[in-house]
Amino acid sequence: MAKIKSVIGFEVDSNEIRAVEISRSSGTYSILACGKIPLQEGVIEEGFIRDADRFNIALTELMQNGGFRATDVVVGVNNENVVMRYATFPKVADDKLRNMVLLQAQEFIPIPVQEMEIDYVVAGDGVNEDEQPVTNVMLVAARRNMIEQYINVLSASKLQVIDVNATVLSLCSGLQSSVVGDEKYAVLNLTEDLVNFIVIKGNEISMVRSIQIPERIEGSVKRLFAGKEEADDIEQIGAVLGQETSSSVSYYAMQNQSSPIEKIFLLTTLNKNAQLVNGITEIFANIPVTVPDYYTANKFGLDQQVINEFAGCIGLAIQALEVK
């Protein structure tokens, strides 16, 4: 009988902790535990744990009440301390690419690289203006002190952090495995701290844009993620997302006239996505904007809305199990 392995996909934002424990046996994935718990205001600020005691109380309650048994954890981060940039490098042998990326990353990252942990995803090969072969990559850089803080706090709770990834990439992986086909599509990912716009076809990423939440809707976004939105909040957020989508698509189109975006997916952990789509399409209706349903071939015995809400955690855990 195959040995069962399990890992916890773990996400944190300023409002809550979300976690999913997934096992793999004979190539089949199963959800063993799934849950979330709210965080009091001020526990997480600007992506950092500001009150470790209250964080640990919430974490312990979630792990115990949710029936989590695994100790291996992969942490997903997606806040202002994570920088993603599309970059192009001269084509070199695969075993030399990492060194080149690390040596030249500062040209693309607006924060001193000595403060960051740098990783990358190969986004495809091409040629430059001089017809020289190049490799396109998506750089992912996260503040080292933030990562170390999460590792230390979770370790104190007897959890072992085996990896730290960008949550939005696990969501994109989930789309590729269960939603999209051969079309070129864009991901519009909204969190309480950040908006990501990523253009993808197959395994090739051709644009990455990260946008800080504009000050004029910061309060609306915080209320929406806290489930305390006011009458005009969704309309205001939708309008801003529509404007940002329009500018992102226009910029992409100028650079890639022969390969247009065919579809846009709105990704959040909210249950108000349909209303946000309405607000976006009132401003920008040139390309269909939809909300995807993840893992429809295997809902793991959970309601589809729950699967969608925890899709980031599920993707993090599955990706970790695939390399274990």
Side-chain angles (χ1 to χ4, degrees), residues 268-273 291-293 299 302-311:
T268 81
T269 57
L270 302 165
N271 59 10
K272 304 285 187 179
N273 283 342
V291 179
D293 284 334
K299 295 185 180 181
L302 297 175
D303 181 80
Q304 185 64 58
Q305 176 59 41
V306 176
I307 293 295
N308 291 345
E309 181 180 2
F310 287 88

Side-chain angles (χ1 to χ4, degrees), residues 216-282:
R216 65 186 183 277
I217 61 164
E218 278 185 351
S220 296
V221 171
K222 288 184 181 297
R223 287 191 293 271
L224 182 59
F225 275 89
K228 300 176 181 178
E229 67 273 10
E230 298 176 358
D232 296 335
D233 285 341
I234 293 179
E235 180 181 353
Q236 292 173 1
I237 296 168
V240 170
L241 290 178
Q243 293 162 4
E244 295 294 350
T245 300
S246 178
S247 63
S248 296
V249 169
S250 295
Y251 177 80
Y252 175 82
M254 286 190 296
Q255 307 295 320
N256 302 270
Q257 295 181 10
S258 63
S259 182
I261 298 168
E262 300 171 65
K263 187 181 295 184
I264 298 172
F265 292 104
L266 174 65
L267 313 181
T268 81
T269 57
L270 302 165
N271 59 10
K272 304 285 187 179
N273 283 342
Q275 293 96 314
L276 285 174
V277 167
N278 290 337
I280 294 169
T281 53
E282 285 186 6

Side-chain angles (χ1 to χ4, degrees), residues 71-75 150-152 154-155 159-164:
T71 56
D72 286 346
V73 176
V74 56
V75 177
Y150 278 107
I151 292 173
N152 292 336
L154 293 175
S155 296
L159 297 172
Q160 180 180 358
V161 177
I162 60 173
D163 202 0
V164 179

Side-chain angles (χ1 to χ4, degrees), residues 100-120:
M100 176 178 287
V101 169
L102 294 179
L103 285 171
Q104 299 185 23
Q106 188 64 82
E107 297 177 20
F108 305 94
I109 303 298
I111 301 170
V113 293
Q114 61 267 27
E115 300 177 13
M116 311 295 283
E117 290 290 340
I118 309 291
D119 202 354
Y120 66 94

Side-chain angles (χ1 to χ4, degrees), residues 20-324:
V20 173
E21 181 179 350
I22 293 184
S23 69
R24 181 180 62 182
S25 179
S26 301
T28 300
Y29 295 101
S30 301
I31 290 181
L32 305 181
C34 177
K36 64 180 181 178
I37 191 168
L39 293 172
Q40 297 179 37
E41 185 175 353
V43 173
I44 301 287
E45 290 181 343
E46 299 176 337
F48 287 91
I49 301 172
R50 302 302 188 189
D51 190 329
D53 290 339
R54 287 194 292 174
F55 182 89
N56 279 322
I57 290 171
L59 175 61
T60 299
E61 183 178 342
L62 174 61
M63 293 295 104
Q64 292 179 348
N65 294 347
F68 291 88
R69 300 296 179 88
T71 56
D72 286 346
V73 176
V74 56
V75 177
V77 291
N78 197 50
N79 55 51
E80 58 264 54
N81 299 298
V82 180
V83 178
M84 293 190 292
R85 292 289 188 272
Y86 186 76
T88 298
F89 298 93
K91 180 72 175 177
V92 296
D94 291 346
D95 60 350
K96 296 181 179 180
L97 180 59
R98 174 167 288 276
N99 286 339
M100 176 178 287
V101 169
L102 294 179
L103 285 171
Q104 299 185 23
Q106 188 64 82
E107 297 177 20
F108 305 94
I109 303 298
I111 301 170
V113 293
Q114 61 267 27
E115 300 177 13
M116 311 295 283
E117 290 290 340
I118 309 291
D119 202 354
Y120 66 94
V121 177
V122 175
D125 294 327
V127 294
N128 60 18
E129 295 178 353
D130 298 322
E131 298 299 318
Q132 297 297 313
V134 296
T135 297
N136 303 311
V137 306
M138 185 171 76
L139 291 171
V140 183
R143 286 192 183 273
R144 184 174 290 117
N145 56 348
M146 177 191 68
I147 293 175
E148 291 174 348
Q149 184 188 53
Y150 278 107
I151 292 173
N152 292 336
V153 170
L154 293 175
S155 296
S157 296
K158 311 302 181 184
L159 297 172
Q160 180 180 358
V161 177
I162 60 173
D163 202 0
V164 179
N165 288 324
T167 304
V168 67
L169 295 185
S170 74
L171 291 170
C172 293
S173 177
L175 285 177
Q176 291 169 354
S177 67
S178 59
V179 179
V180 299
D182 294 329
E183 70 265 40
K184 175 160 282 189
Y185 64 96
V187 165
L188 181 64
N189 180 55
L190 172 67
T191 73
E192 187 175 335
D193 306 302
L194 205 63
V195 178
N196 301 119
F197 188 88
I198 303 175
V199 180
I200 307 171
K201 182 176 182 178
N203 293 321
E204 294 191 0
I205 299 167
S206 50
M207 177 178 171
V208 179
R209 186 182 182 210
S210 295
I211 308 152
Q212 297 292 324
I213 299 295
E215 289 185 10
R216 65 186 183 277
I217 61 164
E218 278 185 351
S220 296
V221 171
K222 288 184 181 297
R223 287 191 293 271
L224 182 59
F225 275 89
K228 300 176 181 178
E229 67 273 10
E230 298 176 358
D232 296 335
D233 285 341
I234 293 179
E235 180 181 353
Q236 292 173 1
I237 296 168
V240 170
L241 290 178
Q243 293 162 4
E244 295 294 350
T245 300
S246 178
S247 63
S248 296
V249 169
S250 295
Y251 177 80
Y252 175 82
M254 286 190 296
Q255 307 295 320
N256 302 270
Q257 295 181 10
S258 63
S259 182
I261 298 168
E262 300 171 65
K263 187 181 295 184
I264 298 172
F265 292 104
L266 174 65
L267 313 181
T268 81
T269 57
L270 302 165
N271 59 10
K272 304 285 187 179
N273 283 342
Q275 293 96 314
L276 285 174
V277 167
N278 290 337
I280 294 169
T281 53
E282 285 186 6
I283 303 297
F284 178 80
N286 297 354
I287 301 171
V289 180
T290 61
V291 179
D293 284 334
Y294 285 89
Y295 305 108
T296 52
N298 182 359
K299 295 185 180 181
F300 307 102
L302 297 175
D303 181 80
Q304 185 64 58
Q305 176 59 41
V306 176
I307 293 295
N308 291 345
E309 181 180 2
F310 287 88
C313 295
I314 294 170
L316 290 165
I318 288 176
Q319 286 176 294
L321 287 169
E322 288 176 347
V323 298
K324 282 189 69 175

